[in-house]
Amino acid sequence: MKKLICAVIAVLLIVGLFGLSFLGESNTDVDVIDEQYYKNDYTGIELNVFNWGEYISDGSEGALDVIGAFERKTGIKVNYTTFDSNESMYAKLKSGSVSYDIIIPSDYMIDRMRKEGMLKEIDYSKVPNYKLIDEKYHAQYFDPEDKYTVPYSVGMVGLIYNKKMVKEEPDSWGAMWDERYKGNILTFNNSRDAFAIAQFYLGLDVNSTDKSDWDKAAAKLKEQNPILQGRVMDEVFNKMQAGNAAMAPYYAGDYLTMADINPDLGFVYPKEGTNIFIDSMCIPSNSKNYEAAMMFINFMLEPEVALANAEYICYASPNTAVVDHPDYSLAGNEFLYPENQDAIKTEYYKDLDDETRKYFEKLWEEVIIN
Amino acid sequence: MNKTKSGQVVLNAPYLLWSAIFIVVPLLFVVYYAFTTANGSFTFNNIINFFTNEQYMTVFWRSMLYAVWATVISLVIAYPFSYCMSKVNASSQRMLMLLVMLPMLMNLVVRTYSWQQILEKNGLVNTLLESIGLEPIQFLGNAGVIIFGMVYNYLPFMILPIYSSISKVDKSLLEASNDLGCNTFGTIQKVILPLSIPGVLSGITMVFVPCVSTFYISRQFSDGNIKMIGDVIEDKFYRSSVPDYNIGATISLVLMLIILISLAVVNKFSDDDDQTGGVVI
């Protein structure tokens, strides 16, 4: 009987959730800088957008429905699909079975795609809002001449810890090897990110192609095995929010989401350095709607749109119109926009050659299977 | 005669087409990838690599061991349960059947995830333990919890075929057994047990097969610490920064062969295929 009641409650909850999601009217009203720019007649065109999951303001909870607003303003139909790793996005594009007009991959993957000729140059004169991008995000290593990319979002990995379980504020990745927290330490369930922590801690280059460097990092990770609670990705939200683990490395923006629910959580950028990433909008070389794609990119840079996206995804924005916006709730946030930004050592992942990747994936298997 | 035949062909065509496209073709893909290198040339190396790799072998034997345990435990729970279920009156039988089936109406992922939350460090069970003054227990990450998760998820597949074969045992046989001086235990041992073997065997296959290829349950119940063979296949195709379809397909192929072999072994034991409760897989 108890199970029956539980099931009935579960069903009611699900039905209730659906009801609620239909109640909220989505907001597609947006003011743009230059109304005239969107006046071209693109009616009937379809744009294929390929983005990370949960990576655009989708109109939930009264926020701006960015895709809806774009469709309403331009008459272009947007087919929006999502991926959950750079690698799966790359594999799909490489297979050639689909064509996309806009993709938003991370730095190292952009570097690889650029070198393989998979990206089309952007005509920045058609993207007038590009001027809003902060100078310091220009000419990054993955696009040294600013030809292919428009930065969308910036994030950094840090160490999230539970102040009730971790007495003194950790300042080093070494905390993740501290016996006192045995059974309470989480790490990434993803080879590159997990290796990077050991590499930072040991002072090794995260982009090393020297096999002995990877051997050292793997040995360090094996050392961590007995005191680890587990390897997680998005499960980290529940774990940290409920106080089921003492510490976990994750992204600053996601920490803000967790800290909203569990105020006992703290966050530090360890002194040895950490990973930084920039996700940028690009146009694949097989795009069929080049002009409309640039219009979409321009629309994503509109202050109101970029603001809605920045609020939704909680990562740092490279858009000056967002950072200076009076309504931006995360403006000057100490974790997203740390004052001592320059004092924090950061490293981008670079695209590694096939041999190195195969080598560290093999080591990773030895670390995780025991 | 001819007419019926062509009619049959037409009627069968959609199913044949369906099986060809969604069963045979994917299987051929698996076989193709298992016996080729990344460049597409023929090789046996994938198979050799699999059987000589220490990690893969660890995971392989672990999966077999856990699946055997889960199957045995399911059987031990399911048989008495099914027997008792077949003894109560019809409305209670329907109620019990509903209770067995109810969890299956929820998605496996949701059920497993809920249990993970219940068994967490600060989960429901540990909160209860602490409130009565006991030490909290670290459930997640133990082999036992993973086996529990498999038993929990697949127990209905053991109960249903056993129940259906027990409840279809002819009542007159039981009366005859009583008349001839058998007590309840004797009846169970000499009449019910032999007649319910087909149900037991199909229950065993229906639990063992999904258990040996489990992946989500082990990840959730061990926080990603204890890998099973399904997890490794998932990693190969999906998580690795250098996806390796060839070795992934090889592992899948080996797993399929194991399942086929175990099915064949189980079928050897069931000499009478016409018995009720047998399920053709």
Side-chain angles (χ1 to χ4, degrees), chain A residues 84 231 238-239 365 370, chain B residues 62 113 120 223 236 238:
Chain A
D84 59 10
R231 296 187 181 85
N238 267 314
K239 288 257 180 201
E365 238 162 38
N370 44 54
Chain B
R62 176 187 295 154
Y113 190 76
E120 263 289 7
D223 298 322
K236 286 289 157 202
Y238 182 69

Side-chain angles (χ1 to χ4, degrees), chain B residues 92-167:
Chain B
S92 303
Q93 283 192 23
R94 274 197 297 275
M95 188 65 199
L96 284 170
M97 182 64 92
L98 183 71
L99 289 179
V100 170
M101 298 290 286
L102 250 185
M104 299 212 314
L105 298 179
M106 276 177 278
N107 185 291
L108 176 139
V109 172
V110 178
R111 268 181 288 152
T112 307
Y113 190 76
S114 316
W115 266 106
Q116 190 220 354
Q117 296 304 310
I118 292 169
L119 297 173
E120 263 289 7
K121 215 178 204 65
N122 292 339
L124 200 63
V125 178
N126 274 333
T127 316
L128 282 176
L129 285 180
E130 275 174 294
S131 70
I132 56 170
L134 292 173
E135 280 290 299
I137 300 169
Q138 176 67 40
F139 290 106
L140 301 179
N142 288 317
V145 176
I146 295 177
I147 294 169
F148 161 78
M150 299 198 288
V151 170
Y152 165 71
N153 273 304
Y154 300 123
L155 187 61
F157 295 112
M158 186 67 93
I159 292 178
L160 295 179
I162 295 181
Y163 164 73
S164 101
S165 58
I166 292 182
S167 61

Side-chain angles (χ1 to χ4, degrees), chain B residues 24-278:
Chain B
V24 178
V25 173
L27 274 176
L28 290 178
F29 269 112
V30 171
V31 174
Y32 169 79
Y33 277 116
F35 288 103
T36 50
T37 64
N39 308 324
S41 53
F42 180 82
T43 180
F44 277 118
N45 279 344
N46 298 326
I47 305 270
I48 297 168
N49 285 345
F50 175 76
F51 283 104
T52 52
N53 183 308
E54 196 189 327
Q55 277 84 39
Y56 296 157
M57 282 295 106
T58 309
V59 171
F60 176 76
W61 288 114
R62 176 187 295 154
S63 295
M64 296 293 281
L65 184 71
Y66 287 10
V68 168
W69 268 111
T71 311
V72 169
I73 295 172
S74 298
L75 182 60
V76 168
I77 298 174
Y79 201 92
F81 183 87
S82 307
Y83 176 76
C84 298
M85 197 162 133
S86 69
K87 289 290 153 211
V88 296
N89 62 41
S91 71
S92 303
Q93 283 192 23
R94 274 197 297 275
M95 188 65 199
L96 284 170
M97 182 64 92
L98 183 71
L99 289 179
V100 170
M101 298 290 286
L102 250 185
M104 299 212 314
L105 298 179
M106 276 177 278
N107 185 291
L108 176 139
V109 172
V110 178
R111 268 181 288 152
T112 307
Y113 190 76
S114 316
W115 266 106
Q116 190 220 354
Q117 296 304 310
I118 292 169
L119 297 173
E120 263 289 7
K121 215 178 204 65
N122 292 339
L124 200 63
V125 178
N126 274 333
T127 316
L128 282 176
L129 285 180
E130 275 174 294
S131 70
I132 56 170
L134 292 173
E135 280 290 299
I137 300 169
Q138 176 67 40
F139 290 106
L140 301 179
N142 288 317
V145 176
I146 295 177
I147 294 169
F148 161 78
M150 299 198 288
V151 170
Y152 165 71
N153 273 304
Y154 300 123
L155 187 61
F157 295 112
M158 186 67 93
I159 292 178
L160 295 179
I162 295 181
Y163 164 73
S164 101
S165 58
I166 292 182
S167 61
K168 278 177 189 152
V169 171
D170 197 334
K171 294 283 174 292
S172 55
L173 292 176
L174 305 182
E175 283 159 16
S177 149
N178 279 333
D179 287 349
L180 296 171
C182 254
N183 57 14
T184 315
F185 273 110
T187 309
I188 292 177
Q189 191 197 338
K190 298 226 162 69
V191 181
I192 298 180
L193 197 58
L195 287 174
S196 63
I197 286 297
V200 172
L201 291 176
S202 69
I204 287 175
T205 45
M206 285 169 77
V207 173
F208 181 78
V209 169
C211 280
V212 79
S213 53
T214 282
F215 66 104
Y216 181 76
I217 298 171
S218 46
R219 191 173 81 217
Q220 287 302 315
F221 281 5
S222 74
D223 298 322
N225 272 333
I226 299 178
K227 297 263 174 190
M228 297 208 16
I229 204 150
D231 297 302
V232 176
I233 296 174
E234 190 200 14
D235 285 351
K236 286 289 157 202
F237 280 98
Y238 182 69
R239 272 173 204 281
S240 167
S241 67
V242 268
D244 192 338
Y245 284 24
N246 304 102
I247 193 79
T250 308
I251 305 175
S252 310
L253 192 67
V254 171
L255 193 58
M256 271 191 274
L257 290 178
I258 297 296
I259 289 169
L260 283 178
I261 291 169
S262 49
L263 285 181
V265 170
V266 166
N267 281 337
K268 263 258 174 293
F269 284 107
S270 67
D271 41 6
D272 191 358
D273 283 338
D274 301 329
Q275 278 296 342
T276 49

